[in-house]
Amino acid sequence: MKVLISTIILLSSLSVLSSESLPVSKVFDGTSASCEKKVDMWNYRFQAHKIKSFKTKVSKDSLNVDIETVMLSCEQKDNGYGFFERNLFSDFGYKVPSELDENGEVLFNNITVSTTSAKVIILNAKDYSEVLSINVNPSNENVLKLSDSVALDQVLSKEELAQYNNGKIVKKSLDIFLIRELNIEDEESSLKHRQSYGSFRVTLNLSK
């Protein structure tokens, strides 16, 4: 099963008077992730990240952001391989070969992965300066809904802000990453690991 990690929501321009979905493009590590064979389960042992919706709204001098995001787990079921939505904070695991038994068969260690914290970071696509960082709080839902706001002068450069205030349309591209702090352990050891997922790109058309 092959799925697009980025989902095109609506092909529409941004209206500063209403909240609208923006098209989201995967730009960093490919346009799609495959879960079609056993090796894909290993390649995506830390899961894959999907942005289901990205909406913005300008309110006075701030940009309000609403994001829906979900993790995808590559798993084998009776009818084959496929991606399944999973909660970002639910534990998951995988197996690694450890040694051979007396019959020459490979023995595996069970690895458990837990998420200690996570945040979504939005960066300026031009210079990769940070625009906004949103901490992700634990939830019982697979699809997480995140909301935050940032001052327009943190989104736009001085020149862009001047153009915006003069009534011109300003096009601004932003890149979105998920940063996930993981604890990886087996029966004998435990280690910390930071996993980055991304990036997705959105382009805003801002005007008064």
Side-chain angles (χ1 to χ4, degrees):
M1 176 181 177
K2 182 174 288 186
V3 300
L4 280 179
I5 296 304
S6 60
T7 302
I8 302 304
I9 309 299
L10 289 174
L11 187 60
S12 61
S13 60
L14 172 66
S15 168
V16 298
L17 300 179
S18 62
S19 177
E20 295 190 52
S21 295
L22 296 174
V24 181
S25 300
K26 192 81 184 292
V27 296
F28 181 64
D29 53 1
T31 57
S32 63
S34 295
C35 184
E36 300 174 335
K37 48 187 179 294
K38 192 170 185 178
V39 68
D40 294 328
M41 295 177 62
W42 174 256
N43 291 337
Y44 293 97
R45 62 192 180 278
F46 293 127
Q47 304 180 332
H49 175 228
K50 178 179 180 179
I51 292 181
K52 303 192 72 169
S53 174
F54 186 96
K55 297 180 180 180
T56 60
K57 180 180 180 180
V58 174
S59 177
K60 295 183 179 180
D61 295 325
S62 296
L63 181 69
N64 301 326
V65 177
D66 295 298
I67 305 172
E68 290 187 3
T69 179
V70 68
M71 302 308 298
L72 300 177
S73 175
C74 179
E75 301 174 14
Q76 184 180 14
K77 303 295 185 181
D78 292 340
N79 58 347
Y81 295 90
F83 278 115
F84 298 87
E85 293 186 354
R86 295 291 180 255
N87 189 297
L88 186 148
F89 285 95
S90 293
D91 291 355
F92 59 96
Y94 57 91
K95 296 181 178 182
V96 295
S98 59
E99 58 183 348
L100 298 178
D101 66 12
E102 58 185 14
N103 298 318
E105 298 292 331
V106 178
L107 299 178
F108 291 86
N109 277 346
N110 291 315
I111 307 297
T112 300
V113 182
S114 58
T115 302
T116 58
S117 65
K119 60 184 176 180
V120 170
I121 298 178
I122 301 176
L123 304 176
N124 185 329
K126 185 175 182 180
D127 60 9
Y128 263 44
S129 58
E130 184 175 305
V131 172
L132 182 63
S133 177
I134 307 174
N135 289 325
V136 182
N137 295 319
S139 168
N140 293 327
E141 303 295 328
N142 288 341
V143 178
L144 300 177
K145 298 180 179 181
L146 311 176
S147 297
D148 209 337
S149 62
V150 60
L152 277 177
D153 60 10
Q154 298 297 310
V155 180
L156 303 176
S157 66
K158 292 182 179 179
E159 294 78 8
E160 291 168 336
L161 188 59
Q163 293 174 355
Y164 172 82
N165 287 328
N166 289 330
K168 295 183 178 180
I169 298 175
V170 178
K171 180 177 288 188
K172 191 70 177 182
S173 293
L174 303 174
D175 283 359
I176 310 159
F177 289 84
L178 171 69
I179 306 297
R180 196 179 190 188
E181 302 293 342
L182 302 175
N183 187 63
I184 304 173
E185 60 182 350
D186 60 14
E187 294 181 354
E188 298 180 351
S189 63
S190 175
L191 62 88
K192 306 295 183 183
H193 174 69
R194 171 175 289 185
Q195 182 71 23
S196 176
Y197 305 81
S199 79
F200 296 87
R201 178 164 295 176
V202 294
T203 300
L204 313 181
N205 292 297
L206 301 174
S207 66
K208 282 194 169 182

Tab-separated table of all heavy atoms in Angstrom, residues 148-174:
chain	number	residue	atom	x	y	z
A	148	ASP	N	-2.248	27.568	17.435
A	148	ASP	CA	-1.382	28.572	18.047
A	148	ASP	C	-1.403	29.805	17.155
A	148	ASP	O	-1.995	29.788	16.068
A	148	ASP	CB	0.046	28.052	18.220
A	148	ASP	CG	0.759	28.699	19.395
A	148	ASP	OD1	0.355	29.814	19.800
A	148	ASP	OD2	1.722	28.108	19.917
A	149	SER	N	-0.759	30.865	17.610
A	149	SER	CA	-0.689	32.091	16.815
A	149	SER	C	0.695	32.694	16.943
A	149	SER	O	1.436	32.421	17.901
A	149	SER	CB	-1.757	33.091	17.258
A	149	SER	OG	-1.560	33.470	18.606
A	150	VAL	N	1.042	33.517	15.969
A	150	VAL	CA	2.350	34.158	15.946
A	150	VAL	C	2.194	35.543	15.340
A	150	VAL	O	1.355	35.753	14.452
A	150	VAL	CB	3.372	33.307	15.143
A	150	VAL	CG1	2.917	33.117	13.705
A	150	VAL	CG2	4.753	33.915	15.194
A	151	ALA	N	2.952	36.495	15.839
A	151	ALA	CA	2.887	37.851	15.313
A	151	ALA	C	3.351	37.873	13.856
A	151	ALA	O	4.289	37.161	13.480
A	151	ALA	CB	3.745	38.792	16.151
A	152	LEU	N	2.694	38.696	13.047
A	152	LEU	CA	3.048	38.767	11.633
A	152	LEU	C	4.495	39.212	11.423
A	152	LEU	O	5.135	38.796	10.458
A	152	LEU	CB	2.109	39.721	10.893
A	152	LEU	CG	0.765	39.152	10.450
A	152	LEU	CD1	-0.079	40.238	9.799
A	152	LEU	CD2	0.962	37.983	9.500
A	153	ASP	N	5.014	40.037	12.336
A	153	ASP	CA	6.398	40.480	12.156
A	153	ASP	C	7.402	39.368	12.448
A	153	ASP	O	8.601	39.528	12.195
A	153	ASP	CB	6.707	41.724	12.983
A	153	ASP	CG	6.514	41.524	14.480
A	153	ASP	OD1	6.317	40.368	14.917
A	153	ASP	OD2	6.563	42.515	15.228
A	154	GLN	N	6.920	38.219	12.988
A	154	GLN	CA	7.768	37.044	13.126
A	154	GLN	C	7.678	36.132	11.907
A	154	GLN	O	8.520	35.258	11.703
A	154	GLN	CB	7.364	36.248	14.375
A	154	GLN	CG	7.518	37.006	15.674
A	154	GLN	CD	8.957	37.372	15.957
A	154	GLN	OE1	9.854	36.528	15.895
A	154	GLN	NE2	9.196	38.644	16.256
A	155	VAL	N	6.651	36.345	11.098
A	155	VAL	CA	6.452	35.548	9.885
A	155	VAL	C	7.081	36.233	8.680
A	155	VAL	O	7.723	35.588	7.837
A	155	VAL	CB	4.948	35.324	9.631
A	155	VAL	CG1	4.726	34.491	8.364
A	155	VAL	CG2	4.295	34.663	10.831
A	156	LEU	N	6.912	37.555	8.606
A	156	LEU	CA	7.361	38.323	7.456
A	156	LEU	C	8.624	39.112	7.789
A	156	LEU	O	8.820	39.556	8.925
A	156	LEU	CB	6.263	39.297	7.014
A	156	LEU	CG	4.903	38.686	6.663
A	156	LEU	CD1	3.895	39.780	6.349
A	156	LEU	CD2	5.027	37.708	5.505
A	157	SER	N	9.468	39.306	6.784
A	157	SER	CA	10.633	40.178	6.941
A	157	SER	C	10.155	41.634	6.993
A	157	SER	O	8.983	41.925	6.738
A	157	SER	CB	11.601	39.988	5.778
A	157	SER	OG	11.006	40.438	4.565
A	158	LYS	N	11.055	42.546	7.321
A	158	LYS	CA	10.685	43.966	7.363
A	158	LYS	C	10.166	44.435	6.015
A	158	LYS	O	9.177	45.182	5.941
A	158	LYS	CB	11.888	44.808	7.802
A	158	LYS	CG	12.303	44.599	9.245
A	158	LYS	CD	13.477	45.503	9.619
A	158	LYS	CE	13.865	45.307	11.078
A	158	LYS	NZ	15.023	46.176	11.460
A	159	GLU	N	10.829	44.009	4.949
A	159	GLU	CA	10.406	44.403	3.611
A	159	GLU	C	9.042	43.807	3.267
A	159	GLU	O	8.174	44.497	2.715
A	159	GLU	CB	11.444	43.957	2.575
A	159	GLU	CG	12.805	44.644	2.686
A	159	GLU	CD	13.673	44.083	3.802
A	159	GLU	OE1	13.286	43.044	4.417
A	159	GLU	OE2	14.723	44.692	4.089
A	160	GLU	N	8.836	42.543	3.626
A	160	GLU	CA	7.550	41.889	3.352
A	160	GLU	C	6.431	42.517	4.173
A	160	GLU	O	5.305	42.699	3.686
A	160	GLU	CB	7.652	40.396	3.647
A	160	GLU	CG	8.544	39.639	2.672
A	160	GLU	CD	8.860	38.235	3.145
A	160	GLU	OE1	8.805	37.989	4.374
A	160	GLU	OE2	9.188	37.387	2.301
A	161	LEU	N	6.732	42.853	5.421
A	161	LEU	CA	5.725	43.462	6.273
A	161	LEU	C	5.328	44.839	5.747
A	161	LEU	O	4.137	45.209	5.782
A	161	LEU	CB	6.249	43.569	7.705
A	161	LEU	CG	5.244	44.014	8.766
A	161	LEU	CD1	4.064	43.052	8.833
A	161	LEU	CD2	5.914	44.128	10.137
A	162	ALA	N	6.308	45.582	5.237
A	162	ALA	CA	6.003	46.891	4.654
A	162	ALA	C	5.113	46.728	3.419
A	162	ALA	O	4.153	47.494	3.230
A	162	ALA	CB	7.295	47.616	4.290
A	163	GLN	N	5.405	45.745	2.586
A	163	GLN	CA	4.571	45.482	1.414
A	163	GLN	C	3.159	45.097	1.827
A	163	GLN	O	2.178	45.547	1.234
A	163	GLN	CB	5.204	44.373	0.566
A	163	GLN	CG	6.521	44.756	-0.081
A	163	GLN	CD	7.171	43.578	-0.794
A	163	GLN	OE1	6.684	42.452	-0.729
A	163	GLN	NE2	8.291	43.844	-1.457
A	164	TYR	N	3.064	44.251	2.868
A	164	TYR	CA	1.757	43.824	3.372
A	164	TYR	C	0.954	45.017	3.872
A	164	TYR	O	-0.236	45.167	3.553
A	164	TYR	CB	1.963	42.798	4.486
A	164	TYR	CG	0.708	42.423	5.228
A	164	TYR	CD1	-0.175	41.475	4.716
A	164	TYR	CD2	0.391	43.028	6.454
A	164	TYR	CE1	-1.344	41.136	5.395
A	164	TYR	CE2	-0.767	42.691	7.137
A	164	TYR	CZ	-1.624	41.754	6.601
A	164	TYR	OH	-2.772	41.425	7.274
A	165	ASN	N	1.594	45.889	4.656
A	165	ASN	CA	0.910	47.058	5.216
A	165	ASN	C	0.516	48.062	4.141
A	165	ASN	O	-0.393	48.871	4.350
A	165	ASN	CB	1.789	47.735	6.273
A	165	ASN	CG	1.871	46.930	7.560
A	165	ASN	OD1	0.917	46.246	7.939
A	165	ASN	ND2	3.010	46.985	8.231
A	166	ASN	N	1.201	48.006	2.990
A	166	ASN	CA	0.865	48.882	1.870
A	166	ASN	C	-0.182	48.274	0.947
A	166	ASN	O	-0.471	48.821	-0.124
A	166	ASN	CB	2.122	49.226	1.064
A	166	ASN	CG	3.049	50.174	1.808
A	166	ASN	OD1	2.581	51.000	2.615
A	166	ASN	ND2	4.355	50.064	1.570
A	167	GLY	N	-0.748	47.121	1.364
A	167	GLY	CA	-1.843	46.527	0.611
A	167	GLY	C	-1.442	45.567	-0.487
A	167	GLY	O	-2.297	45.114	-1.254
A	168	LYS	N	-0.164	45.234	-0.564
A	168	LYS	CA	0.289	44.304	-1.590
A	168	LYS	C	0.120	42.862	-1.111
A	168	LYS	O	0.095	42.577	0.083
A	168	LYS	CB	1.745	44.570	-1.952
A	168	LYS	CG	1.985	45.926	-2.597
A	168	LYS	CD	3.438	46.094	-2.993
A	168	LYS	CE	3.669	47.433	-3.683
A	168	LYS	NZ	5.093	47.621	-4.079
A	169	ILE	N	0.018	41.939	-2.073
A	169	ILE	CA	-0.034	40.514	-1.747
A	169	ILE	C	1.385	40.001	-1.512
A	169	ILE	O	2.269	40.201	-2.351
A	169	ILE	CB	-0.704	39.706	-2.869
A	169	ILE	CG1	-2.155	40.161	-3.058
A	169	ILE	CG2	-0.657	38.208	-2.563
A	169	ILE	CD1	-2.853	39.496	-4.223
A	170	VAL	N	1.590	39.358	-0.381
A	170	VAL	CA	2.907	38.817	-0.030
A	170	VAL	C	2.811	37.300	-0.013
A	170	VAL	O	2.005	36.731	0.712
A	170	VAL	CB	3.377	39.337	1.343
A	170	VAL	CG1	4.732	38.720	1.698
A	170	VAL	CG2	3.462	40.854	1.344
A	171	LYS	N	3.624	36.658	-0.835
A	171	LYS	CA	3.675	35.192	-0.860
A	171	LYS	C	4.765	34.725	0.101
A	171	LYS	O	5.911	35.171	0.028
A	171	LYS	CB	3.959	34.686	-2.270
A	171	LYS	CG	4.016	33.170	-2.376
A	171	LYS	CD	4.237	32.712	-3.805
A	171	LYS	CE	2.985	32.930	-4.637
A	171	LYS	NZ	3.128	32.306	-5.983
A	172	LYS	N	4.406	33.816	1.001
A	172	LYS	CA	5.352	33.349	2.019
A	172	LYS	C	5.277	31.833	2.126
A	172	LYS	O	4.211	31.256	2.361
A	172	LYS	CB	5.002	33.975	3.378
A	172	LYS	CG	6.076	33.761	4.436
A	172	LYS	CD	7.313	34.586	4.102
A	172	LYS	CE	8.384	34.444	5.173
A	172	LYS	NZ	9.556	35.279	4.875
A	173	SER	N	6.418	31.167	1.969
A	173	SER	CA	6.489	29.708	2.087
A	173	SER	C	7.036	29.325	3.460
A	173	SER	O	8.036	29.878	3.919
A	173	SER	CB	7.377	29.116	0.987
A	173	SER	OG	6.786	29.303	-0.283
A	174	LEU	N	6.357	28.365	4.080
A	174	LEU	CA	6.754	27.879	5.396
A	174	LEU	C	6.950	26.373	5.343
A	174	LEU	O	6.209	25.667	4.662
A	174	LEU	CB	5.685	28.217	6.435
A	174	LEU	CG	5.293	29.689	6.593
A	174	LEU	CD1	4.120	29.817	7.559
A	174	LEU	CD2	6.479	30.518	7.076
